[in-house]
């Protein structure tokens, strides 16, 4: 192979793409007329430039479906993230700020037929009334608490709230108001049935038991998921571990480090709801990363 052939071979790709100037084109064509080997090389270059047209649409349909699936997953994850922020912010804005007893906050009035009506001011966001029978089983003792929250302070309601304590004409021995702290309950109606006259409503500790249970489940299932080699059981223990972690995070986001609550039912339902959202968000995020890795 001569030096000229080497030069021509270097120029052939540009010649096929029509990127040479006129002098170079003339030079290449004159050489091709006298060199069979370079003409063969030209055919090879031309064949390499022509790519076969893909006529099977299946790969493109699969890619399109995967892209659409990923978009849906990202959309769902964004909704879950928004829901998490909404629950946390909503839990903070609606967290009860228990009000001390003042006559302008709650007033008790007795009707002619013996019904006792509790009327609350517009500064009260919500209230709770609980009752219990006295030891002789003839009368009832009522406990009232009222609270405000950040949401009501930002958007105060002008509508006064009221409720009938004894709609079925129950006999009321006493009505106590407790301010949701360690202070003693205040007698605001009737006579005290207690010898020393003092009553203190303590916060509920049920959230502490749930928190300890979730922590123990996290430890036990985390160890079992690592130790057991059975993939099926290891996966189950792993998911229980993740649910426990989600509950612990939810408690931290809703209640912080506190485990006492005067509204345990509200806090527990809110924590459980946030637990489900966090767990679902983890599953979706894990699937997104797995798809990306694949």
């Amino acid at each position: 192979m001569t030096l000229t052939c080497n030069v021509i071979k270097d120029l052939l790709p540009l010649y096929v793409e029509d990127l040479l100037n006129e002098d170079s084109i003339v030079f290449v064509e004159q050489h091709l007329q006298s060199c069979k080997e370079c003409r063969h090389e030209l055919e090879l270059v031309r064949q390499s430039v022509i790519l076969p047209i893909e006529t099977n649409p299946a790969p493109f349909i699969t890619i399109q479906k995967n892209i659409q699936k990923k978009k849906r997953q990202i959309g769902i994850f964004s909704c879950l993230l928004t829901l998490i922020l909404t629950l946390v912010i909503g839990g903070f804005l609606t967290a009860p700020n228990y009000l001390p007893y003042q006559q302008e906050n709650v007033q008790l009035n007795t009707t002619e037929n013996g019904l006792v009506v509790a009327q609350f001011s517009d500064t009260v966001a919500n209230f709770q009334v609980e009752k219990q029978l006295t030891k002789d089983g003839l009368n009832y003792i009522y406990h009232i608490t009222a609270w405000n929250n950040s949401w009501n302070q930002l958007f105060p309601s002008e509508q006064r709230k009221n409720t009938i304590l004894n709609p079925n004409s129950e006999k009321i021995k006493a009505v106590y108001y407790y301010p949701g702290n360690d202070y003693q309950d205040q007698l605001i109606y009737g006579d005290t049935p207690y010898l020393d006259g003092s009553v203190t409503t303590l916060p509920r500790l049920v959230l502490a038991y749930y928190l300890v249970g979730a922590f123990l489940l996290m430890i036990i299932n985390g160890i079992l998921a690592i130790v057991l080699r059975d993939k099926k059981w290891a996966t189950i223990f792993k998911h229980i571990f993740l649910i426990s972690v989600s509950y612990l995070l939810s408690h931290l986001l809703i209640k912080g480090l506190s485990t006492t609550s005067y509204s345990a039912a509200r806090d527990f339902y809110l924590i459980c709801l946030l637990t489900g959202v966090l767990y679902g968000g983890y599953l979706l995020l894990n699937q997104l990363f797995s798809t990306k890795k694949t």
Side-chain angles (χ1 to χ4, degrees):
M1 183 179 295
T2 63
L3 179 61
T4 304
C5 290
N6 291 332
V7 175
I8 293 298
K9 286 187 176 183
D10 292 336
L11 295 175
L12 285 178
L14 300 176
Y15 175 75
V16 172
E17 296 291 337
D18 197 17
L19 298 176
L20 296 177
N21 56 35
E22 294 182 0
D23 294 337
S24 299
I25 292 174
V26 172
F27 173 70
V28 172
E29 291 180 347
Q30 288 178 350
H31 179 79
L32 290 174
Q33 292 176 0
S34 60
C35 182
K36 182 179 180 180
E37 184 177 351
C38 287
R39 287 198 299 272
H40 177 69
E41 186 70 23
L42 175 61
E43 293 299 326
L44 295 177
V45 173
R46 284 175 173 170
Q47 292 177 5
S48 64
V49 172
I50 301 175
L51 297 176
I53 299 177
E54 179 61 55
T55 58
N56 182 15
F60 301 100
I61 295 176
T62 302
I63 293 174
Q64 185 179 14
K65 288 182 178 180
N66 290 335
I67 293 175
Q68 292 176 349
K69 180 180 179 182
K70 189 172 183 180
K71 286 182 178 179
R72 287 195 298 267
Q73 291 174 341
I74 293 175
I76 295 173
F77 180 76
S78 300
C79 293
L80 289 176
L81 184 60
T82 303
L83 184 57
I84 291 173
L85 294 176
T86 303
L87 288 174
V88 174
I89 296 174
F92 171 76
L93 291 177
T94 59
N97 179 25
Y98 295 97
L99 300 173
Y101 173 72
Q102 294 178 353
Q103 287 189 352
E104 55 267 25
N105 287 339
V106 55
Q107 295 181 358
L108 298 182
N109 299 307
T110 304
T111 64
E112 295 179 356
N113 52 0
L115 300 180
V116 178
V117 180
Q119 189 172 15
F120 300 87
S121 67
D122 54 3
T123 59
V124 176
N126 211 336
F127 61 89
Q128 181 176 348
V129 178
E130 296 181 354
K131 67 178 182 178
Q132 65 185 69
L133 274 171
T134 56
K135 292 182 178 181
D136 56 16
L138 300 177
N139 302 291
Y140 283 92
I141 301 174
Y142 286 80
H143 297 268
I144 299 177
T145 184
W147 62 85
N148 204 335
N149 52 46
S150 300
W151 178 266
N152 193 62
Q153 291 176 357
L154 293 173
F155 307 99
S157 174
E158 297 181 357
Q159 182 179 4
R160 296 176 66 90
K161 305 175 179 63
N162 57 71
T163 183
I164 300 176
L165 298 183
N166 55 342
N168 298 320
S169 300
E170 299 94 332
K171 293 183 179 180
I172 298 178
K173 177 67 176 178
V175 177
Y176 283 91
Y177 183 94
Y178 66 96
N181 49 38
D182 295 334
Y183 296 105
Q184 289 184 354
D185 298 3
Q186 187 169 348
L187 180 67
I188 60 176
Y189 182 88
D191 300 323
T192 177
Y194 306 105
L195 295 178
D196 58 357
S198 62
V199 178
T200 302
T201 301
L202 299 176
R204 299 191 61 184
L205 302 175
V206 64
L207 295 180
Y209 304 136
Y210 294 147
L211 192 67
V212 172
F215 181 77
L216 293 177
L217 280 176
M218 181 189 69
I219 297 298
I220 295 173
N221 287 276
I223 295 174
L224 291 174
I226 295 174
V227 172
L228 294 182
R229 297 182 180 179
D230 189 337
K231 293 184 178 180
K232 178 180 178 181
W233 285 105
T235 302
I236 294 175
F237 292 134
K238 177 183 176 182
H239 284 292
I240 298 176
F241 169 83
L242 293 172
I243 293 174
S244 303
V245 172
S246 300
Y247 183 88
L248 294 175
L249 290 176
S250 300
H251 182 98
L252 185 63
L253 291 173
I254 299 299
K255 292 292 295 179
L257 299 177
S258 175
T259 57
T260 61
S261 176
Y262 286 94
S263 53
R266 168 203 176 266
D267 293 336
F268 179 68
Y269 293 147
L270 193 58
I271 290 172
C272 288
L273 182 59
L274 185 57
T275 299
V277 176
L278 287 176
Y279 178 66
Y282 164 78
L283 294 179
L284 186 58
L285 188 63
N286 183 61
Q287 188 174 1
L288 283 173
F289 277 110
S290 299
T291 303
K292 183 178 180 180
K293 183 178 179 181
T294 303

